[in-house]
Amino acid sequence: MLEGYKGKALEFLSFHNADLGDIIEIQKDNITIKGVLMPSYSKDDDIIVIKLDNGYNVGISLKGINNFRIIEKKTVPPTTKAEEKKKEEKSEVKIISTGGTIVSKIEYETGAVRPALTTEEIINFMPEIKEIAKIDAEVLFSILSENMKPEYWIKIAESAKKALDNGNLGVVIAHGTDTMAYTASALAFSFKSLTGPIVLVGSQRSSDRPSSDSPINLYSAILVAKNAPFAEVTVNMHGESSDTYTLVHRGVKVRKMHTSRRDSFQSINDIPIAKVYWKDKEIKLLRDDYFTRREKNELDAKFDTRVFLLKYYPGMRADIIDYLIASGIRGIIIEGTGLGHTSTELLEAFRKASKDGIFIGMTSQCLFGRVNMNVYTTGRQLQEVGVTPLEDMLPETAIVKLMWVLAHESDLDNIRKLMLTNLAGEMNYRHIPEYFPRWYHDRIRLQ
Amino acid sequence: MLEGYKGKALEFLSFHNADLGDIIEIQKDNITIKGVLMPSYSKDDDIIVIKLDNGYNVGISLKGINNFRIIEKKTVPPTTKAEEKKKEEKSEVKIISTGGTIVSKIEYETGAVRPALTTEEIINFMPEIKEIAKIDAEVLFSILSENMKPEYWIKIAESAKKALDNGNLGVVIAHGTDTMAYTASALAFSFKSLTGPIVLVGSQRSSDRPSSDSPINLYSAILVAKNAPFAEVTVNMHGESSDTYTLVHRGVKVRKMHTSRRDSFQSINDIPIAKVYWKDKEIKLLRDDYFTRREKNELDAKFDTRVFLLKYYPGMRADIIDYLIASGIRGIIIEGTGLGHTSTELLEAFRKASKDGIFIGMTSQCLFGRVNMNVYTTGRQLQEVGVTPLEDMLPETAIVKLMWVLAHESDLDNIRKLMLTNLAGEMNYRHIPEYFPRWYHDRIRLQ
C-alpha cells in the first residue's frame, strides 16, 4: 500500500508501520513537520512525501530525521466476509469503482492522486448514500482514466451485467473524467438491453477540497441507478457551477468540454435525459424518448482497435494515411472541417484505403451540427472515394462505435450499414436551436 | 470560365458563347428546360448542368438537344484598366478574395459552389459597402477553404501587407469558413506589427439564400477594417442567430463550433474584441487589451509542415508515434484528455521522439480550460519525457504556431521557449467564468 516508495524510504516506512493517508510527524534538523503521508513519485529512494496543512506537499529526505511518529492512523472500518456476502445478496445499487478522482480521498496541487480505495472506503465515502439505497461496492480497477482501454471496457461491462443480473436496480461506475465519455460509448454499444441504468460518475475536484463535486455526483448517481425509469448507459455530473443539480447525459452524446470546471460534461447535439435535484431526491425527466428497463441484460462487448482518429488540419500530408493502410488498420474516423471536408490532396490516399477495404467515416471538428457532404464539391468527391458521412455523431463516439462494429462485421458494406444504424441514440436526426449553447458577448470586467 | 467542363460539353458551350451563371434555355425531346448554367463535376464530357427554378439542378446530355439559347447573360459591370488603377491608389479598404461561400453568388443543395468571382463582382456584390469606404478588391485565389495550405497563407499575408503598405486603412480577407481559424492563426503569428486590422470574413450561407449572412458579415468587416482602433488579425462573423450584430474575434482564439449555424464562430477561452452593430455602423469594443495600429507592417511568414496533430483516444497504439518519428517529423501537438493526458503506454514513444529532438506540445480535447500537467501523475510523467504543456491554447492554434516556430528555430529549448511565449494573444493567463458558454438544460419541446 506504500505506492511509489522503494528502497530505503519503503523500508523506513514499513518499519514504522506507516501507511498512505496516515497523519505523521517528522522531526528533522530541529524542525517539526506534520502532515499526511502521500504516495511518492520521486526517482530517489530516500524521499518521503507529505502533504502539509496548507495544501502543499514536500519531499523530505530520510537523512537527518531524528524522530518519526504516526499521530493518527487512516481509519478503515472493519468488515467481515459474512457481512460482504450479505450485502451482495441484498444490494439495490452496485458501485463499481475503476479509479479516478471521485474515489480518491486525497488530492493536492503538487502531488499525486491515489485512485485506489477499498470497497469499504467507497461505501463509507459518503454516509448519506446508505440512506437512499442498499449499496454494494466493488473495486474493479484503480486506474487513472487516461489509462482506460478497450479490454478494460469489456471487464467493466461484464461486471455491470453481473450486478444487474444479480438483481441490483442499477449500477454506478466510478470513473476518471478524462475518458469517461469514451467508456460510456463503449458500454452503450455493448449492451443491447438493460434491466436498469448504468450511471458513470466522476469528479472534477477531489473530496478533500471544499468545492468537491464528489459527494453530490455520487449521491445523485445512486438516486438515478435505483429510481430512474430509463435503462441506458449515462453520465451523471454537475449541471452548472453551483450545487443545485446534476445532469444525466446519454453516454453516446456527452463530452468533457472543460479541463477543470465541475459542469464540464455537457450533451452535444442533444439534451440531457434528466436533471437530478439531489436535495429533493427528484429526478426530473427532460425527455420521454429514452430506453426503458427491460427483462434481461444482453451484452456483446468486443472491440477491434485497428482504427485511427484522424483530425484534419491544413498542411496535413497524405503519407500518414499511406502508413495507416500499411499498418493493417481496418477503419479511420476523420474529424474533418466544417460540413465534413479535408483537402482534396488526400483524396487519392482515401481512395486507396477504401479500395483496400478500410472503412472511412466523416465527423466534424466543429463538434456541433451535422456533417453534410452533398453541399460542396469536396464533400461529394470524398464520398466518391468511399468516405461515409456520419450524421451528427461525435468524433469520440464514432471511433468507439467503429471499434465495436469492426469486431462484429468484416464486410465493408455491412460495416457502413451498421455505422449508420442508430444503435444507442448516437445519431440525432432532428436538431433544435437549443442544442447550441449561448455564449457570453458582453464587455469583460477588467480589474 | 467554364469550370469543370471538358470535351464535347466544353466545345458546345464555348461555341454558343455561354458562361457559368447565364440563364439558358434548352429544347430537347420536345421539352423546354430553363435554368442557370452551373459548373460541371460530371465524369462524362457530354453533360451540361443547369440549376432549375425549384433550386435543384439537373445534368442534361448533349444528345438530342434541338435548340440552345442564352436568355440572359450574367451581368458583369465593365471597368477599364484606368479605373482600376485609380481605385488602387485611393482605396481605404482592400478586399482580398481567396474563395469560399461569401464570394459565391450561386449555391444549391445538390450542386457545387463556384468560389471564383471577378474583382468587379466582389465590389458590386453588396453596393452598400461603397458607401462606407473606398473599396478595392483582388481575387487572389478561388479555392474552397478545405484546400487552404501553408504556402497559400504566405501569399495571403504578402498580399495583405502590400495592401496596408499602400495606405489602405485595413484589409478584409474573404475566406471559406472551414479553415478560416487556421488561416487567422497563421497570419497572426506572421505579422509582428500592423498598421491596420486584417479582418477575415466568410459566410455560412450563400447570398442566393434569404438567410444569407454574406452581406452583413462583409459590411461589418469593412467597417472594422476602416475604423477599428485595433490592428490585429481577426475573424468577423455573425454573433447570434439573428442579424443584430457580428463579432470580431481574436484570430488565435476563435473556432468554428457548428457545421452550419451563422453564429458558428465563437471565441474559446476568451471574449471577442468587439461587437459590430452594423445598422448603426457602431464598433462596440468589449475589451481594451488589443494590439493597436502601428507605424509599419512587419511580416515574417514561414511555416514548416513537418508536424502532426495527434488526438488521443483510448486504445491508441504507440506505433503511430514511431512512424511519425521515422517520417522525419519535427513536432507533435497532442490533443490530450482532460488536463493534458494520454495513456502512459505512450510514454516511451514520446520519450524517444523527444530524445530525437522532436517538440511535443500538449493541448486538451476539452477545448475549454487550461492544461495542467502537475495535478496527476500522468501529467508529470509526460512532462518528464519531454511533453510541454501549452496553457489554454487551442489545438488548432497550437499546430499552426508550431509550424511557424519550427520554421524559425531549430534548437529544442528555443522552440519550447517560443511555443510558450505569448506572440499574438494565443494564451490567456487569467480565465473568467463567462468564457464557458451557458447550456440549455430544460425540457425539450416534443411535437
Side-chain angles (χ1 to χ4, degrees), chain A residues 101 149 178 182 337 345 376, chain B residues 101 149 178 337 345 365 376:
Chain A
T101 306
K149 50 187 173 180
D178 266 40
Y182 293 93
T337 58
E345 285 181 12
Y376 292 93
Chain B
T101 307
K149 50 187 173 180
D178 266 39
T337 58
E345 286 182 10
Q365 56 191 249
Y376 293 92

Side-chain angles (χ1 to χ4, degrees), chain A residues 257-298:
Chain A
M257 291 301 291
H258 196 282
T259 61
S260 61
R261 281 177 71 108
R262 301 188 299 171
D263 56 349
S264 64
F265 280 82
Q266 297 291 346
S267 288
I268 309 288
N269 296 326
D270 212 352
I271 292 290
I273 302 174
K275 228 169 178 172
V276 185
Y277 293 98
W278 61 281
K279 274 183 197 161
D280 302 329
K281 301 188 181 68
E282 186 201 348
I283 300 168
K284 190 186 169 192
L285 292 171
L286 302 180
R287 50 201 290 179
D288 306 308
D289 58 338
Y290 47 76
F291 295 87
T292 52
R293 291 175 183 262
R294 300 294 172 85
E295 288 297 306
K296 58 178 183 172
N297 301 291
E298 284 182 273

Side-chain angles (χ1 to χ4, degrees), chain B residues 77-139:
Chain B
T79 340
T80 65
K81 283 275 175 203
E83 270 177 340
E84 269 183 31
K85 180 86 181 148
K86 209 168 125 195
K87 274 185 300 174
E88 175 76 36
E89 282 160 7
K90 291 170 94 183
S91 68
E92 295 168 315
V93 173
K94 173 99 175 228
I95 303 175
I96 298 169
S97 174
T98 70
T101 307
I102 188 156
V103 289
S104 300
K105 277 189 115 69
I106 37 172
E107 189 192 13
Y108 46 102
E109 289 311 311
T110 54
V113 166
R114 182 175 67 93
L117 285 191
T118 64
T119 303
E120 293 74 26
E121 278 179 301
I122 290 167
I123 296 177
N124 289 294
F125 175 62
M126 192 197 180
E128 292 90 332
I129 62 174
K130 284 188 280 191
E131 291 165 20
I132 50 170
K134 290 184 195 109
I135 309 280
D136 183 29
E138 173 193 1
V139 177

Side-chain angles (χ1 to χ4, degrees), chain B residues 113 143 206 416:
Chain B
V113 166
I143 59 166
S206 62
R416 263 196 208 112

Side-chain angles (χ1 to χ4, degrees), chain A residues 41 43 101 107-113 144 146-150 153 178-179 182 239 245 247 255-259 261 263-264 266-268 271-272 275 285-288 305-317 319-320 323-324 335 337-339 341-345 364-370 374-378 380 384 396 399 403 430 432-434 436-447, chain B residues 41 43 101 107-113 144 146-150 153 178-179 182 239 245 247 255-259 261 263-264 266-268 271-272 275 285-288 305-317 319-320 323-324 335 337-339 341-345 364-370 374-378 380 384 396 399 403 430 432-434 436-447:
Chain A
Y41 293 93
K43 283 170 196 159
T101 306
E107 191 193 12
Y108 47 101
E109 289 309 312
T110 54
V113 166
L144 294 165
E146 56 268 29
N147 288 324
M148 189 56 66
K149 50 187 173 180
W153 294 340
D178 266 40
T179 63
Y182 293 93
Y245 61 86
L247 288 172
R255 208 173 175 282
K256 184 173 179 178
M257 291 301 291
H258 196 282
T259 61
R261 281 177 71 108
D263 56 349
S264 64
Q266 297 291 346
S267 288
I268 309 288
I271 292 290
K275 228 169 178 172
L285 292 171
L286 302 180
R287 50 201 290 179
D288 306 308
T305 59
R306 286 173 289 173
V307 297
F308 193 73
L309 177 57
L310 187 74
K311 177 158 175 173
Y312 178 75
Y313 56 88
M316 174 177 277
R317 292 144 170 234
D319 68 64
I320 189 78
Y323 168 72
L324 292 173
E335 200 176 307
T337 58
L339 291 164
H341 303 133
T342 69
S343 158
T344 50
E345 285 181 12
S364 176
Q365 57 191 248
C366 297
L367 302 177
F368 292 92
R370 185 188 308 284
N374 299 316
V375 179
Y376 292 93
T377 317
T378 312
R380 292 198 306 276
E384 271 167 32
E396 296 88 1
I399 194 78
M403 289 187 210
R430 198 167 139 244
I432 55 170
E434 287 82 358
F436 198 57
R438 289 153 293 157
W439 307 74
Y440 186 81
H441 294 160
D442 293 323
R443 192 175 175 84
I444 53 166
R445 304 168 310 246
L446 288 173
Q447 279 133 0
Chain B
Y41 293 93
K43 285 168 194 159
T101 307
E107 189 192 13
Y108 46 102
E109 289 311 311
T110 54
V113 166
L144 294 164
E146 57 268 28
N147 289 324
M148 189 56 66
K149 50 187 173 180
W153 294 339
D178 266 39
T179 63
Y182 294 92
Y245 60 86
L247 289 171
R255 210 175 172 281
K256 185 175 179 177
M257 289 300 291
H258 196 283
T259 60
R261 282 177 69 108
D263 55 350
S264 64
Q266 296 291 345
S267 288
I268 309 286
I271 293 290
K275 228 169 179 172
L285 292 170
L286 301 181
R287 50 202 289 180
D288 305 309
T305 60
R306 286 173 289 174
V307 297
F308 192 72
L309 177 58
L310 187 73
K311 177 159 175 171
Y312 178 74
Y313 56 89
M316 175 177 276
R317 294 143 170 236
D319 68 64
I320 189 79
Y323 169 72
L324 291 172
E335 199 176 308
T337 58
L339 290 165
H341 304 132
T342 69
S343 161
T344 50
E345 286 182 10
S364 176
Q365 56 191 249
C366 296
L367 304 177
F368 292 92
R370 185 187 309 283
N374 299 316
V375 179
Y376 293 92
T377 316
T378 313
R380 291 198 307 276
E384 271 167 33
E396 296 87 1
I399 193 80
M403 290 187 208
R430 196 165 142 247
I432 54 170
E434 287 82 356
F436 198 56
R438 290 153 293 157
W439 307 74
Y440 186 81
H441 293 160
D442 293 323
R443 192 174 173 84
I444 53 166
R445 304 167 311 244
L446 289 172
Q447 280 133 0

Side-chain angles (χ1 to χ4, degrees), chain B residues 194-240:
Chain B
L194 282 165
T195 56
I198 295 180
V199 190
L200 283 99
V201 67
S203 141
Q204 287 281 84
R205 298 189 194 154
S206 62
S207 54
D208 64 331
R209 290 172 66 179
S211 64
S212 174
D213 46 343
S214 294
I216 292 171
N217 289 351
L218 183 63
Y219 186 88
S220 61
I222 288 164
L223 276 176
V224 170
K226 186 183 169 189
N227 301 321
F230 48 84
E232 296 200 26
V233 180
T234 57
V235 164
N236 174 66
M237 293 287 286
H238 256 60
E240 25 81 85

